[in-house]
Amino acid sequence: MISNLRQRAGFCALIGASFMAIGCGPLSAQTKLNVTANSIGGKVTGANGPEAGVWVIAETTDLPTRYAKIVVTDDNGQYMLPELPAAKYKVWVRGYGLVDSDKQDASPGKTLDLKAKPAPTAKAAAEYYPGMYWYSMLKIPDVSEFPGSDKSPTKMPASMDSQATWIDSIKNSCQSCHALGSQNIRSPHVKELGEFKNSEDMWERRVQSGQAMTNMALTLGRLGPERAYKMFADWTDRIAAGEIPSDKPERPKGIERNVVITSWEWGKHGLYLHDEVSTDKRNPTVNAYGPIYGSPEESSDSVPVLDPVKNKTWLIKEPFKDPETPSAADDPMGPSVFFGDEAIWDGHTSIHNPMMDEKGRLWLTARIRRAPNPAACKEGSDLPSAQVMPLKESARQTSFYDPKTEKWTMIDTCFNTHHLLFDNNERLWFSQGQPYSGVVGWLDVKKFEATGDEMKSQGWTPTIANVSGTGKREAFVNPDQPIEPGKDKWVKAAFYALQPSPKGDVVWGQAMGPGFTRIAQPSFIMRMIPGSDPTHTAVTEFFAPPPGTYGSRGVDIDSKGIAWTVYSSGHMASFDRTKCKEPLSGPNAATGQQCYEGWTVYRMPGPQFKGVDEKGSANHAYYIWVDVHNTLGLGNDVPIAIANGSESLLALVNGKFVNIRLPYPLGFFAKNVDGRIDDAKIGWKGRELWTTTGTRAYFHSERGKDEMPKVYKVQVRPDPLAN
């Protein structure tokens, strides 16, 4: 498919204050457009001729929910919007070096030529840049300010031991919930909050707004509030004075011009999305053309659903067992610029991550009760796992929904749940989220369905490093105890992300670093070997970040058994355990300082903070997903970083990044993707990735308070004009 591309790799350069596109060599021959009854096509021209590599957006409110489709122009400025439902559309042009063109009325079956509008100033052009270009303007504290101390003259706290920990905190505790560089964050309107003597006071007040204030306060406490407010205030003051990013993004080029992006509004006002699911990760043909489900985390107990064929959305209610289950509506908050005193989140169930099984049932990590565990989980229980590692509480459990019967089944778990994934043996594995418990849990789905016994169908095991080097689990020392000869060591590094290997032999996991956990422990990639009786036999291999990287987030595995992750240092990395040269035992087995030769590191595209190692990038990815089954059409085993810094999906193809930006609305922010094959026989039209807006503050997007959560379908066609 890639060999048939009808376009140049590259695009016309942007120069001058107006950032207008100029020619960069002879254009390829213009292709005759095949505008069908369900498409709109035409040509985009600007002051200097055809506009290559700009987006054409068509949007309608005529359907049951707001619907939009986005494509990119080819070398000749031609575009093709395919597969449009019958409706009246507003169509316009957006692109780097431009401001939005006038919106034109159009209907499918028509040819529509469009006039691009050059940006009148560099500042006007920069308003369309991805957020990282703006937040890369943050003046990160110099390395000389670290490590902090109680007597630091710059108010750098002792918790900040390095510049890397500071950046990891900004990205994995701030950027991971908010589209940090979006317009209302970099240029906040705060008049509703009162008058302030300076911007530092303004920042101190604005982070108290809304129901996320407690989490923001915890992060700022780690950074040192005075030092953090000073950094953010300096940033927004400089922007208010007219400063703009010094780096400029490139227009889409090569295969990046072949994308087709479709979006639907779903959910309701106040609801934000953590994630979505469309199919079974092990078999992406499950639920073909079927509904897409979202997870609203703290914001609601209502799960949004999309029928992408009929363009209809609805909500289904997640139940919970305990009427005293806490609600986000009771969280402390300060009045908001957008919503005043209204508590817009009312979720009890804290629905974090959705997954689908081979029967098309929806599984969720969801809270169904208060945190204290029942007696069966605690010391004195006859459950084997409780005898090895008793657990006092679980903040989130699990449930599943059967679309055929429209019934929910709630399952109590002794261990906390965060992400969930199936292996090939009808076992559902769960991550903990934070590393504190130091255990990994699972549910034997086949046993639960046969017996209905939620306690006897589950198990968990501590994360034990095989320091002894025997290859099997020995008696172990606790995390706060020194290593002893002949014994293993329990490392409190429960999984944040996890992925059972497609080969079925191991479970890979990932633990967060200090920027997220707020504890002095590096992020790890981990390889758990369950053994015949995981409660008693599982051992875990630990691997620390490779030199020059820090702050891993997310893990996925390709069909060859290679692990992939992303780092807050601005990197994607792969880990091939078969390259390890030395035995994975001894003290380094517990610290992860081993097998650095297994890593291959790739710098994410984008600018870097000034004064920070140029080998990294200001770009940030929330998670990573490997397209094992070629659902997008870029090939098998393509890793995709969910890069909310660049407001894009970064696919690594043959060692080079394909940057798929989602340009509308500005401030696109996703946390994960999944891929589905509706019909492999019809080519690109039957393959797609699904993702959703994941920012907690969706109202920071370009439409403000009127914005709604969105779900997106991303496809790659053979060329920019395929219909």
Side-chain angles (χ1 to χ4, degrees):
M1 179 176 71
I2 296 176
S3 62
N4 294 326
L5 301 180
R6 302 198 299 261
Q7 58 184 181
R8 296 172 298 173
F11 69 98
C12 294
L14 303 178
I15 63 168
S18 66
F19 286 70
M20 292 188 296
I22 64 170
C24 50
L27 295 171
S28 57
Q30 184 164 308
T31 303
K32 181 177 176 58
L33 293 174
N34 178 30
V35 179
T36 60
N38 66 346
S39 66
I40 298 172
K43 186 172 184 176
V44 179
T45 55
N48 294 308
E51 291 280 0
V54 298
W55 296 283
V56 177
I57 305 167
E59 185 175 54
T60 183
T61 56
D62 288 354
L63 302 174
T65 189
R66 184 185 292 265
Y67 174 100
K69 185 154 286 189
I70 306 168
V71 297
V72 187
T73 58
D74 70 359
D75 284 352
N76 298 291
Q78 293 176 291
Y79 73 92
M80 179 62 66
L81 288 156
E83 303 281 287
L84 290 169
K88 295 179 180 178
Y89 292 85
K90 296 289 186 182
V91 184
W92 72 98
V93 180
R94 172 170 289 183
Y96 300 137
L98 307 174
V99 295
D100 280 359
S101 69
D102 296 333
K103 294 182 179 181
Q104 304 294 319
D105 294 322
S107 298
K110 303 296 183 182
T111 298
L112 178 68
D113 292 336
L114 299 164
K115 294 291 289 185
K117 277 189 175 183
T121 64
K123 185 178 187 303
E127 295 294 339
Y128 295 87
Y129 292 179
M132 70 172 173
Y133 286 86
W134 288 96
Y135 75 69
S136 68
M137 295 166 60
L138 286 166
K139 290 183 178 178
I140 301 296
D142 187 75
V143 291
S144 62
E145 291 194 45
F146 303 96
S149 72
D150 294 337
K151 298 180 180 179
S152 169
T154 66
K155 306 297 183 182
M156 183 64 67
S159 57
M160 288 291 113
D161 60 349
S162 67
Q163 189 185 66
T165 298
W166 180 279
I167 295 172
D168 189 31
S169 300
I170 293 295
K171 289 187 176 180
N172 273 326
S173 285
C174 299
Q175 171 67 12
S176 65
C177 287
H178 300 280
L180 197 60
S182 55
Q183 203 278 336
N184 189 62
I185 294 182
R186 67 179 185 256
S187 300
H189 65 272
V190 293
K191 62 182 180 180
E192 295 88 346
L193 301 181
E195 298 290 331
F196 304 97
K197 66 180 181 181
N198 55 46
S199 294
E200 292 177 41
D201 286 357
M202 178 273 291
W203 270 95
E204 182 178 9
R205 170 60 188 85
R206 78 177 300 210
V207 296
Q208 296 175 37
S209 294
Q211 292 150 280
M213 64 172 287
T214 300
N215 197 43
M216 289 190 282
L218 288 171
T219 297
L220 289 162
R222 281 273 299 171
L223 291 167
E226 290 184 60
R227 187 62 185 90
Y229 295 146
K230 181 178 179 181
M231 180 188 71
F232 284 117
D234 168 77
W235 177 54
T236 52
D237 283 349
R238 286 185 284 117
I239 291 171
E243 187 174 335
I244 63 172
S246 57
D247 293 277
K248 303 178 182 66
E250 292 184 341
R251 288 183 180 180
K253 58 185 183 297
I255 202 169
E256 295 167 357
R257 295 182 180 175
N258 297 359
V259 299
V260 179
I261 300 163
T262 311
S263 73
W264 295 260
E265 280 186 351
W266 66 343
K268 60 182 180 179
H269 279 289
L271 180 149
Y272 74 87
L273 276 299
H274 189 278
D275 209 348
E276 58 69 40
V277 71
S278 67
T279 189
D280 183 349
K281 193 175 192 299
R282 301 163 299 177
N283 177 9
T285 63
V286 170
N287 194 42
Y289 294 109
I292 316 300
Y293 300 90
S295 55
E297 204 179 26
E298 309 299 338
S299 68
S300 180
D301 299 324
S302 296
V303 173
V305 189
L306 166 73
D307 180 335
V309 176
K310 297 180 179 178
N311 303 300
K312 294 176 62 176
T313 68
W314 62 95
L315 299 167
I316 55 176
K317 194 85 166 180
E318 159 78 40
F320 49 94
K321 290 182 177 180
D322 184 350
E324 295 186 25
T325 300
S327 170
D330 300 324
D331 290 347
M333 62 170 286
S336 160
V337 168
F338 296 92
F339 301 99
D341 292 322
E342 179 186 359
I344 60 173
W345 300 348
D346 60 2
H348 300 79
T349 47
S350 186
I351 304 168
H352 184 264
N353 190 221
M355 202 54 59
M356 192 171 286
D357 66 16
E358 72 281 358
K359 299 176 182 178
R361 297 179 300 185
L362 171 69
W363 288 77
L364 299 165
T365 52
R367 183 168 57 200
I368 63 173
R369 59 168 171 84
R370 288 171 290 175
N373 273 339
C377 307
K378 300 176 181 178
E379 194 169 354
S381 168
D382 62 356
L383 287 182
S385 294
Q387 293 174 354
V388 172
M389 192 66 60
L391 298 175
K392 294 181 179 180
E393 63 179 31
S394 165
R396 190 187 283 126
Q397 298 79 39
T398 192
S399 61
F400 70 86
Y401 173 77
D402 189 339
K404 293 179 180 177
T405 63
E406 298 184 352
K407 291 184 178 180
W408 288 91
T409 301
M410 292 175 281
I411 303 173
D412 203 347
T413 60
C414 298
F415 47 84
N416 191 55
T417 68
H418 198 66
H419 294 102
L420 72 169
L421 283 153
F422 292 92
D423 65 15
N424 295 323
N425 301 307
E426 295 191 70
R427 186 177 284 164
L428 181 58
W429 292 87
F430 297 88
S431 72
Q432 289 278 320
Q434 290 285 14
Y436 316 139
S437 72
V439 303
V440 176
W442 63 87
L443 177 75
D444 186 329
V445 177
K446 185 176 181 180
K447 185 174 182 178
F448 174 75
E449 293 192 314
T451 67
D453 192 322
E454 58 191 351
M455 286 296 158
K456 291 185 178 180
S457 300
Q458 65 180 279
W460 61 94
T461 188
T463 47
I464 306 297
N466 191 217
V467 175
S468 64
T470 63
K472 61 186 182 70
R473 191 156 103 193
E474 307 292 351
F476 56 87
V477 298
N478 287 332
D480 58 349
Q481 296 175 324
I483 289 172
E484 294 183 23
K487 289 188 176 182
D488 291 337
K489 185 175 177 65
W490 175 27
V491 180
K492 277 205 172 184
F495 298 170
Y496 171 82
L498 82 161
Q499 176 59 59
S501 170
K503 295 183 177 181
D505 53 344
V506 298
V507 179
W508 287 85
Q510 171 265 326
M512 301 295 288
F516 184 85
T517 64
R518 308 180 183 106
I519 60 174
Q521 181 171 283
S523 55
F524 293 113
I525 297 299
M526 297 174 283
R527 181 176 179 268
M528 175 177 281
I529 305 98
S532 59
D533 175 15
T535 296
H536 300 97
T537 59
V539 292
T540 301
E541 297 168 347
F542 294 82
F543 304 100
T549 71
Y550 49 84
S552 67
R553 187 170 195 136
V555 69
D556 205 352
I557 314 301
D558 66 23
S559 63
K560 303 177 186 66
I562 295 172
W564 291 85
T565 190
V566 285
Y567 285 100
S568 61
S569 52
H571 298 90
M572 178 189 287
S574 65
F575 180 77
D576 185 349
R577 187 187 176 279
T578 65
K579 294 181 178 180
C580 296
K581 297 177 181 178
E582 301 294 333
L584 303 177
S585 61
N588 288 345
T591 65
Q593 296 176 17
Q594 56 186 355
C595 195
Y596 290 116
E597 63 271 19
W599 291 100
T600 303
V601 178
Y602 305 86
R603 182 191 186 275
M604 290 183 190
Q608 177 61 296
F609 301 108
K610 298 296 184 290
V612 177
D613 187 358
E614 288 292 337
K615 293 189 178 77
S617 166
N619 209 342
H620 173 254
Y622 188 93
Y623 217 73
I624 192 166
W625 184 85
V626 178
D627 192 1
V628 174
H629 302 285
N630 189 26
T631 59
L632 184 57
L634 296 178
N636 294 325
D637 289 330
V638 169
I640 299 173
I642 295 81
N644 48 42
S646 52
E647 301 176 15
S648 67
L649 305 178
L650 283 177
L652 188 71
V653 181
N654 298 323
K656 295 184 178 180
F657 283 110
V658 175
N659 190 359
I660 301 175
R661 174 145 191 235
L662 285 76
Y664 175 73
L666 294 169
F668 168 76
F669 183 105
K671 291 180 177 174
N672 208 350
V673 300
D674 77 321
R676 189 168 76 184
I677 300 175
D678 292 325
D679 187 347
K681 297 178 182 178
I682 61 174
W684 71 271
K685 294 182 181 180
R687 296 173 179 267
E688 73 268 356
L689 290 190
W690 290 92
T691 190
T692 187
T693 47
T695 171
R696 290 187 170 201
Y698 63 88
F699 38 84
H700 287 155
S701 298
E702 63 183 89
R703 292 177 60 234
K705 188 176 179 180
D706 293 333
E707 193 59 81
M708 285 275 288
K710 285 184 168 59
V711 60
Y712 295 85
K713 180 172 74 173
V714 180
Q715 298 171 288
V716 174
R717 49 188 173 175
D719 64 77
L721 302 180
N723 198 356

